[in-house]
Amino acid sequence: MGPEWVTAIDAWARELRALGRSPATVVTRRRWVTLLAGSPGMPEPAAVTREHLIDWMAGQTWAPNTRRSARASARGFFAWARERGIRGDDPTADIPGVRVPPPLPHPAPEARFRAAVAAATPRAELALMLAGFAGLRRAEIAQARREDLDDFGLWVRGKGGRARLVPVTPSLRQRVESSPPGWLFPARWGDGHMHVDAVGKMVRRVLGLGPHSLRHRFATRAYAATHDLRAVQTLLGHSSPASTAAYVAVADEALCAAVAAAA
């Protein structure tokens, strides 16, 4: 990766931070464009063509969601490069969108979740509880602070900098209240919080599944108890109920009851 790429990526990431993009978003976008810049035969930013980008994407075996993330990152970078006069056009402008099949809910099995909580270290246990009992994303877990807890629940910094207030169970409240002031998951070095990827790895080590499966577990159980998709949507911080529906697994008993009611 040449110096032109390094300078441009640094400037773009700085502007993303200035615009209030979440740290996780900045890391993801930067990672994708850095991978693009380091791919064999990729010229400097001003000389990249649509064909370069198509060849880069065509040579990968990514899943649809991964491919969509890569395209979105490249589009964001080159749109910015055009606005800043680094190049005169946007080579991503007419690259078609990526079709992503509707996702299926994948809640963590309840027995596995409970066993993981029982076996976890205090640090991992708190991460499991925040994901499984409050539906937090791994980035939201990483950024949680002791001071975010109020009399009603936990203030969560979600995607796009949007904040939401999530009620917490008594056991989760006790765990947060007993934590030292500041980040619930401080970094090992420096004053920041634990990296998002480190949170995911910590949960996966004890659960055997990623933390998002616990977010699905939370959504599934919350909906089964309330049958209120709008409430679950608010708790998860989704902008659309369609997104929330993809997190909710329907129990076999509910399907059988529906069929029996129609008979």
Side-chain angles (χ1 to χ4, degrees):
M1 183 170 64
E4 297 90 350
W5 276 108
V6 174
T7 300
I9 292 173
D10 285 346
W12 177 54
R14 186 170 61 250
E15 287 199 28
L16 290 177
R17 290 192 294 270
L19 292 172
R21 300 295 187 268
S22 72
T25 296
V26 176
V27 167
T28 298
R29 297 292 184 242
R30 183 180 188 123
R31 180 187 298 146
W32 276 122
V33 177
T34 300
L35 286 172
L36 167 67
S39 62
M42 191 62 62
E44 64 185 50
V48 173
T49 65
R50 181 181 186 276
E51 287 66 34
H52 286 121
L53 297 171
I54 291 295
D55 287 345
W56 175 60
M57 295 180 68
Q60 314 300 328
T61 57
W62 298 323
N65 273 316
T66 303
R67 193 172 298 277
R68 181 170 62 178
S69 179
R71 175 183 175 274
S73 299
R75 289 205 66 174
F77 173 79
F78 284 108
W80 169 85
R82 181 176 181 275
E83 292 170 359
R84 297 296 171 268
I86 295 174
R87 54 181 299 134
D89 66 341
D90 178 358
T92 68
D94 63 344
I95 293 180
V98 177
R99 292 185 178 181
V100 178
L104 296 175
H106 53 276
E110 192 63 17
R112 177 180 286 197
F113 170 57
R114 298 291 177 176
V117 170
T121 63
R123 187 174 170 105
E125 179 192 33
L126 180 54
L128 288 165
M129 293 173 72
L130 287 167
F133 293 159
L136 270 62
R137 303 175 176 94
R138 60 178 189 162
E140 297 166 348
I141 294 171
Q143 298 175 66
R145 301 177 67 94
R146 166 66 179 79
E147 293 77 9
D148 295 334
L149 187 69
D150 70 10
D151 292 340
F152 182 76
L154 187 72
W155 282 101
V156 178
R157 286 177 285 276
K159 284 187 175 180
R162 294 187 296 270
R164 67 185 188 278
L165 184 59
V166 179
V168 294
T169 63
S171 60
L172 179 53
R173 175 176 291 278
Q174 182 179 23
R175 289 287 285 105
V176 174
E177 287 179 338
S178 64
S179 299
W183 303 113
L184 295 181
F185 299 90
R188 294 187 182 276
W189 298 277
D191 299 325
H193 58 73
M194 193 180 213
H195 194 277
V196 173
D197 290 344
V199 171
K201 290 177 182 177
M202 177 174 61
V203 170
R204 187 175 289 278
R205 275 195 299 270
V206 64
L207 182 66
L209 298 169
H212 221 63
S213 67
L214 295 178
R215 190 164 153 85
H216 283 236
R217 178 254 179 208
F218 172 82
T220 296
R221 291 177 67 87
Y223 181 76
T226 65
H227 299 289
D228 188 338
L229 192 66
R230 184 70 179 87
V232 180
Q233 175 190 344
T234 300
L235 291 169
L236 293 180
H238 284 155
S239 58
S240 165
S243 298
T244 306
Y247 281 62
V248 176
V250 180
D252 292 342
E253 294 81 2
L255 297 176
C256 292
V259 171

Coordinates of all heavy atoms in Angstrom, one line a residue, residues 163-220:
A163 N -28.7 6.7 21.1 CA -28.7 6.2 22.5 C -30.1 5.7 22.7 O -31.1 6.2 22.2 CB -28.4 7.3 23.5
R164 N -30.2 4.6 23.6 CA -31.4 4.1 24.0 C -31.3 3.6 25.4 O -30.2 3.3 25.9 CB -31.9 2.9 23.1 CG -31.0 1.6 23.2 CD -31.5 0.6 22.2 NE -30.8 -0.7 22.4 CZ -29.6 -1.0 21.9 NH1 -28.9 -0.1 21.2 NH2 -29.1 -2.2 22.1
L165 N -32.4 3.6 26.1 CA -32.4 3.2 27.5 C -33.0 1.8 27.6 O -34.2 1.6 27.3 CB -33.2 4.2 28.4 CG -33.2 3.9 29.9 CD1 -31.8 4.0 30.5 CD2 -34.1 5.0 30.5
V166 N -32.3 0.8 28.1 CA -32.7 -0.6 28.2 C -32.9 -1.0 29.7 O -31.9 -0.9 30.5 CB -31.7 -1.5 27.6 CG1 -32.1 -3.0 27.7 CG2 -31.5 -1.2 26.1
P167 N -34.1 -1.4 30.1 CA -34.2 -1.9 31.5 C -33.3 -3.0 31.8 O -33.0 -3.8 30.8 CB -35.7 -2.3 31.6 CG -36.4 -1.6 30.4 CD -35.3 -1.4 29.4
V168 N -32.9 -3.2 33.0 CA -32.0 -4.3 33.3 C -32.6 -5.2 34.4 O -33.4 -4.7 35.3 CB -30.6 -3.8 33.8 CG1 -29.9 -3.1 32.6 CG2 -30.7 -2.9 34.9
T169 N -32.3 -6.4 34.4 CA -32.7 -7.3 35.5 C -32.0 -7.0 36.8 O -30.9 -6.4 36.8 CB -32.4 -8.8 35.1 OG1 -31.0 -9.0 35.0 CG2 -33.1 -9.1 33.8
P170 N -32.6 -7.4 37.9 CA -31.9 -7.2 39.2 C -30.5 -7.8 39.3 O -29.6 -7.1 39.8 CB -32.8 -7.9 40.2 CG -34.2 -7.8 39.6 CD -33.9 -8.0 38.1
S171 N -30.3 -9.0 38.7 CA -29.0 -9.6 38.7 C -28.0 -8.8 37.9 O -26.8 -8.6 38.3 CB -29.0 -11.0 38.2 OG -29.5 -11.1 36.9
L172 N -28.4 -8.3 36.7 CA -27.5 -7.5 35.9 C -27.2 -6.1 36.5 O -26.1 -5.7 36.5 CB -28.1 -7.3 34.5 CG -27.3 -6.5 33.5 CD1 -25.9 -7.0 33.4 CD2 -28.0 -6.5 32.1
R173 N -28.2 -5.5 37.2 CA -28.0 -4.3 37.9 C -27.0 -4.4 39.0 O -26.1 -3.6 39.1 CB -29.3 -3.8 38.4 CG -29.2 -2.5 39.3 CD -30.5 -2.0 39.8 NE -31.3 -1.4 38.7 CZ -31.1 -0.2 38.2 NH1 -30.2 0.6 38.7 NH2 -31.8 0.2 37.2
Q174 N -27.1 -5.5 39.7 CA -26.1 -5.7 40.8 C -24.7 -5.9 40.2 O -23.8 -5.3 40.8 CB -26.5 -7.0 41.5 CG -25.6 -7.3 42.7 CD -26.0 -8.5 43.5 OE1 -26.7 -9.4 42.9 NE2 -25.7 -8.6 44.7
R175 N -24.5 -6.6 39.1 CA -23.2 -6.7 38.5 C -22.6 -5.4 38.0 O -21.4 -5.1 38.2 CB -23.3 -7.7 37.4 CG -23.5 -9.2 37.8 CD -22.2 -9.7 38.4 NE -21.2 -10.1 37.4 CZ -20.1 -9.4 37.2 NH1 -19.9 -8.3 37.9 NH2 -19.3 -9.7 36.3
V176 N -23.5 -4.6 37.4 CA -23.0 -3.3 36.9 C -22.7 -2.4 38.1 O -21.6 -1.7 38.1 CB -24.0 -2.6 36.0 CG1 -23.6 -1.2 35.6 CG2 -24.2 -3.5 34.7
E177 N -23.5 -2.3 39.1 CA -23.3 -1.4 40.2 C -22.1 -1.8 41.0 O -21.4 -0.9 41.6 CB -24.5 -1.5 41.2 CG -25.8 -0.8 40.6 CD -27.0 -0.9 41.6 OE1 -27.0 -1.8 42.4 OE2 -27.8 0.0 41.4
S178 N -21.7 -3.1 41.0 CA -20.5 -3.5 41.7 C -19.2 -3.3 40.9 O -18.1 -3.6 41.5 CB -20.6 -5.0 42.1 OG -20.7 -5.8 40.9
S179 N -19.3 -2.8 39.7 CA -18.1 -2.6 38.9 C -17.5 -1.2 39.3 O -18.2 -0.3 39.7 CB -18.5 -2.6 37.4 OG -19.1 -3.8 37.0
P180 N -16.2 -1.1 39.1 CA -15.6 0.2 39.3 C -16.1 1.3 38.4 O -16.6 0.9 37.3 CB -14.1 -0.1 39.1 CG -13.9 -1.6 39.1 CD -15.3 -2.1 38.7
P181 N -15.9 2.6 38.7 CA -16.3 3.6 37.8 C -15.6 3.5 36.5 O -14.5 3.0 36.4 CB -16.0 4.9 38.6 CG -15.9 4.5 40.0 CD -15.5 3.1 40.0
G182 N -16.2 4.1 35.4 CA -15.6 4.1 34.1 C -16.1 2.9 33.3 O -17.2 2.4 33.4
W183 N -15.2 2.5 32.3 CA -15.6 1.5 31.4 C -15.8 0.2 32.1 O -15.1 -0.2 33.0 CB -14.5 1.2 30.4 CG -14.0 2.4 29.6 CD1 -12.8 3.0 29.6 CD2 -14.8 3.1 28.5 NE1 -12.8 4.1 28.7 CE2 -14.0 4.1 28.0 CE3 -16.1 2.9 28.0 CZ2 -14.4 5.0 27.0 CZ3 -16.5 3.7 27.0 CH2 -15.7 4.7 26.5
L184 N -16.9 -0.5 31.8 CA -17.1 -1.9 32.3 C -16.1 -2.9 31.8 O -15.8 -3.8 32.5 CB -18.5 -2.4 32.0 CG -19.7 -1.6 32.5 CD1 -21.0 -2.2 32.1 CD2 -19.6 -1.5 34.1
F185 N -15.5 -2.6 30.6 CA -14.5 -3.5 30.1 C -13.3 -2.6 29.6 O -13.1 -2.3 28.4 CB -15.1 -4.2 28.9 CG -16.2 -5.1 29.3 CD1 -17.5 -4.7 29.2 CD2 -16.0 -6.4 29.7 CE1 -18.6 -5.5 29.6 CE2 -17.0 -7.3 30.1 CZ -18.3 -6.8 30.0
P186 N -12.5 -2.1 30.6 CA -11.4 -1.3 30.2 C -10.3 -2.1 29.5 O -10.2 -3.3 29.6 CB -10.9 -0.8 31.6 CG -11.3 -1.9 32.6 CD -12.7 -2.4 32.0
A187 N -9.6 -1.3 28.6 CA -8.5 -2.0 27.9 C -7.4 -2.3 28.8 O -7.3 -1.7 29.9 CB -8.0 -1.0 26.8
R188 N -6.6 -3.3 28.4 CA -5.5 -3.7 29.3 C -4.5 -2.6 29.4 O -3.8 -2.5 30.4 CB -4.9 -5.0 28.7 CG -5.8 -6.2 28.8 CD -5.0 -7.5 28.4 NE -5.9 -8.6 28.4 CZ -6.2 -9.4 29.4 NH1 -5.7 -9.0 30.6 NH2 -7.0 -10.4 29.4
W189 N -4.3 -1.8 28.4 CA -3.4 -0.7 28.4 C -4.1 0.5 28.0 O -4.9 0.5 27.1 CB -2.2 -1.0 27.5 CG -1.4 -2.2 27.9 CD1 -0.4 -2.3 28.8 CD2 -1.6 -3.6 27.4 NE1 0.0 -3.6 29.0 CE2 -0.6 -4.4 28.1 CE3 -2.4 -4.1 26.4 CZ2 -0.5 -5.7 27.8 CZ3 -2.2 -5.5 26.2 CH2 -1.3 -6.3 26.8
G190 N -3.7 1.7 28.6 CA -4.3 2.9 28.2 C -5.6 3.2 28.9 O -6.0 2.5 29.8
D191 N -6.3 4.3 28.5 CA -7.5 4.7 29.2 C -8.8 4.3 28.4 O -9.9 4.7 28.9 CB -7.5 6.2 29.3 CG -6.3 6.7 30.2 OD1 -5.9 6.0 31.1 OD2 -5.8 7.8 29.9
G192 N -8.7 3.6 27.3 CA -9.8 3.3 26.5 C -10.5 2.0 27.0 O -10.2 1.5 28.1
H193 N -11.5 1.6 26.2 CA -12.2 0.4 26.5 C -11.7 -0.8 25.7 O -10.9 -0.6 24.7 CB -13.7 0.6 26.2 CG -14.1 1.0 24.8 ND1 -14.0 0.1 23.8 CD2 -14.5 2.2 24.3 CE1 -14.3 0.7 22.6 NE2 -14.6 2.0 22.9
M194 N -12.1 -1.9 26.0 CA -11.8 -3.2 25.4 C -12.2 -3.1 23.9 O -13.2 -2.6 23.6 CB -12.5 -4.4 26.0 CG -12.0 -5.7 25.7 SD -12.9 -7.0 26.6 CE -11.7 -8.2 26.8
H195 N -11.4 -3.7 23.0 CA -11.7 -3.6 21.6 C -12.9 -4.5 21.3 O -13.1 -5.5 22.0 CB -10.5 -4.2 20.8 CG -10.6 -3.9 19.3 ND1 -11.3 -4.7 18.4 CD2 -10.1 -2.9 18.5 CE1 -11.3 -4.2 17.2 NE2 -10.5 -3.1 17.2
V196 N -13.7 -4.1 20.3 CA -14.9 -4.8 20.0 C -14.6 -6.3 19.7 O -15.3 -7.2 20.1 CB -15.6 -4.1 18.8 CG1 -16.7 -5.0 18.3 CG2 -16.0 -2.7 19.1
D197 N -13.6 -6.5 18.9 CA -13.2 -7.9 18.5 C -12.8 -8.7 19.7 O -13.1 -9.9 19.8 CB -12.1 -7.9 17.5 CG -12.5 -7.4 16.1 OD1 -13.7 -7.3 15.9 OD2 -11.6 -7.1 15.3
A198 N -12.2 -8.1 20.7 CA -11.8 -8.8 21.9 C -13.0 -9.2 22.7 O -13.0 -10.3 23.3 CB -10.9 -7.9 22.8
V199 N -14.0 -8.4 22.7 CA -15.3 -8.7 23.4 C -15.9 -10.0 22.8 O -16.3 -10.9 23.4 CB -16.3 -7.6 23.4 CG1 -17.6 -8.0 23.9 CG2 -15.8 -6.4 24.2
G200 N -15.9 -10.0 21.4 CA -16.5 -11.1 20.7 C -15.7 -12.4 21.0 O -16.3 -13.5 21.2
K201 N -14.4 -12.3 21.0 CA -13.6 -13.5 21.3 C -13.8 -14.0 22.7 O -13.8 -15.2 22.9 CB -12.1 -13.2 21.0 CG -11.8 -13.0 19.5 CD -10.3 -12.5 19.3 CE -10.0 -12.3 17.9 NZ -8.6 -11.8 17.7
M202 N -13.9 -13.1 23.6 CA -14.1 -13.5 25.0 C -15.4 -14.3 25.2 O -15.4 -15.3 25.9 CB -14.1 -12.2 25.9 CG -14.4 -12.5 27.4 SD -14.2 -11.0 28.4 CE -15.5 -10.0 27.7
V203 N -16.5 -13.8 24.6 CA -17.7 -14.5 24.7 C -17.7 -15.8 24.0 O -18.1 -16.8 24.5 CB -18.9 -13.6 24.1 CG1 -20.2 -14.4 23.9 CG2 -19.1 -12.4 24.9
R204 N -17.1 -15.8 22.8 CA -17.0 -17.1 22.0 C -16.2 -18.2 22.7 O -16.5 -19.3 22.6 CB -16.4 -16.8 20.6 CG -16.5 -18.0 19.7 CD -15.9 -17.6 18.3 NE -16.8 -16.7 17.6 CZ -17.9 -17.1 16.9 NH1 -18.2 -18.4 16.9 NH2 -18.7 -16.2 16.3
R205 N -15.2 -17.8 23.5 CA -14.4 -18.8 24.2 C -15.2 -19.5 25.2 O -15.0 -20.7 25.3 CB -13.2 -18.1 24.9 CG -12.0 -17.8 24.0 CD -10.7 -17.5 24.8 NE -10.9 -16.3 25.6 CZ -10.6 -15.1 25.2 NH1 -10.0 -14.9 24.0 NH2 -10.7 -14.0 25.9
V206 N -16.1 -18.9 25.9 CA -16.8 -19.5 26.9 C -18.2 -20.1 26.4 O -18.6 -21.1 26.9 CB -17.1 -18.6 28.1 CG1 -17.9 -17.4 27.8 CG2 -17.7 -19.4 29.3
L207 N -18.8 -19.5 25.4 CA -20.1 -19.9 24.9 C -20.0 -20.8 23.7 O -20.9 -21.7 23.5 CB -20.9 -18.6 24.5 CG -22.3 -18.9 24.0 CD1 -23.2 -19.4 25.1 CD2 -22.9 -17.5 23.4
G208 N -18.9 -20.7 23.0 CA -18.8 -21.5 21.7 C -19.5 -20.9 20.6 O -19.6 -21.5 19.5
L209 N -20.2 -19.8 20.8 CA -20.9 -19.0 19.8 C -20.6 -17.5 19.9 O -20.2 -17.1 21.0 CB -22.4 -19.2 19.9 CG -23.0 -20.7 19.8 CD1 -24.4 -20.7 20.3 CD2 -22.9 -21.2 18.4
G210 N -20.9 -16.8 18.9 CA -20.6 -15.4 18.9 C -21.7 -14.6 19.8 O -22.8 -15.2 20.0
P211 N -21.4 -13.4 20.3 CA -22.3 -12.7 21.1 C -23.6 -12.4 20.4 O -24.6 -12.1 21.1 CB -21.6 -11.5 21.5 CG -20.5 -11.3 20.5 CD -20.1 -12.7 20.1
H212 N -23.7 -12.3 19.1 CA -24.9 -12.0 18.4 C -26.0 -13.0 18.6 O -27.2 -12.8 18.6 CB -24.6 -11.7 16.9 CG -25.4 -10.6 16.4 ND1 -25.2 -9.3 16.8 CD2 -26.4 -10.5 15.4 CE1 -26.0 -8.5 16.1 NE2 -26.7 -9.2 15.3
S213 N -25.5 -14.3 18.9 CA -26.5 -15.3 19.1 C -27.3 -15.1 20.4 O -28.4 -15.5 20.6 CB -25.8 -16.7 19.2 OG -25.0 -16.8 20.3
L214 N -26.6 -14.3 21.3 CA -27.3 -14.0 22.6 C -28.3 -12.8 22.4 O -29.3 -12.7 23.1 CB -26.3 -13.6 23.7 CG -25.3 -14.8 24.1 CD1 -24.3 -14.3 25.1 CD2 -26.2 -15.9 24.6
R215 N -27.9 -12.0 21.4 CA -28.9 -10.9 21.1 C -30.1 -11.5 20.5 O -31.3 -11.1 20.7 CB -28.2 -10.0 20.1 CG -28.9 -8.7 19.8 CD -27.9 -7.7 19.2 NE -28.6 -6.7 18.3 CZ -29.1 -5.6 18.7 NH1 -29.1 -5.3 19.9 NH2 -29.6 -4.8 17.8
H216 N -30.0 -12.6 19.7 CA -31.1 -13.3 19.1 C -31.9 -14.0 20.2 O -33.1 -14.1 20.2 CB -30.6 -14.3 18.1 CG -30.3 -13.7 16.8 ND1 -30.9 -14.1 15.6 CD2 -29.4 -12.7 16.4 CE1 -30.4 -13.4 14.6 NE2 -29.5 -12.5 15.1
R217 N -31.1 -14.5 21.2 CA -31.8 -15.2 22.3 C -32.6 -14.2 23.1 O -33.8 -14.5 23.5 CB -30.7 -15.8 23.2 CG -31.2 -16.5 24.5 CD -30.9 -15.6 25.7 NE -31.5 -16.3 26.9 CZ -31.9 -15.6 28.0 NH1 -31.8 -14.3 28.0 NH2 -32.4 -16.3 29.0
F218 N -32.1 -13.0 23.3 CA -32.9 -12.0 24.0 C -34.1 -11.6 23.3 O -35.2 -11.5 23.8 CB -32.0 -10.7 24.2 CG -32.7 -9.6 24.8 CD1 -32.9 -9.4 26.1 CD2 -33.2 -8.6 23.9 CE1 -33.6 -8.3 26.6 CE2 -33.8 -7.5 24.4 CZ -34.1 -7.3 25.8
A219 N -34.0 -11.4 22.0 CA -35.2 -11.0 21.2 C -36.2 -12.1 21.1 O -37.4 -11.8 21.3 CB -34.7 -10.7 19.7
T220 N -35.8 -13.3 21.0 CA -36.7 -14.4 21.0 C -37.5 -14.6 22.2 O -38.8 -14.7 22.2 CB -36.0 -15.7 20.6 OG1 -35.4 -15.7 19.3 CG2 -36.9 -16.9 20.7

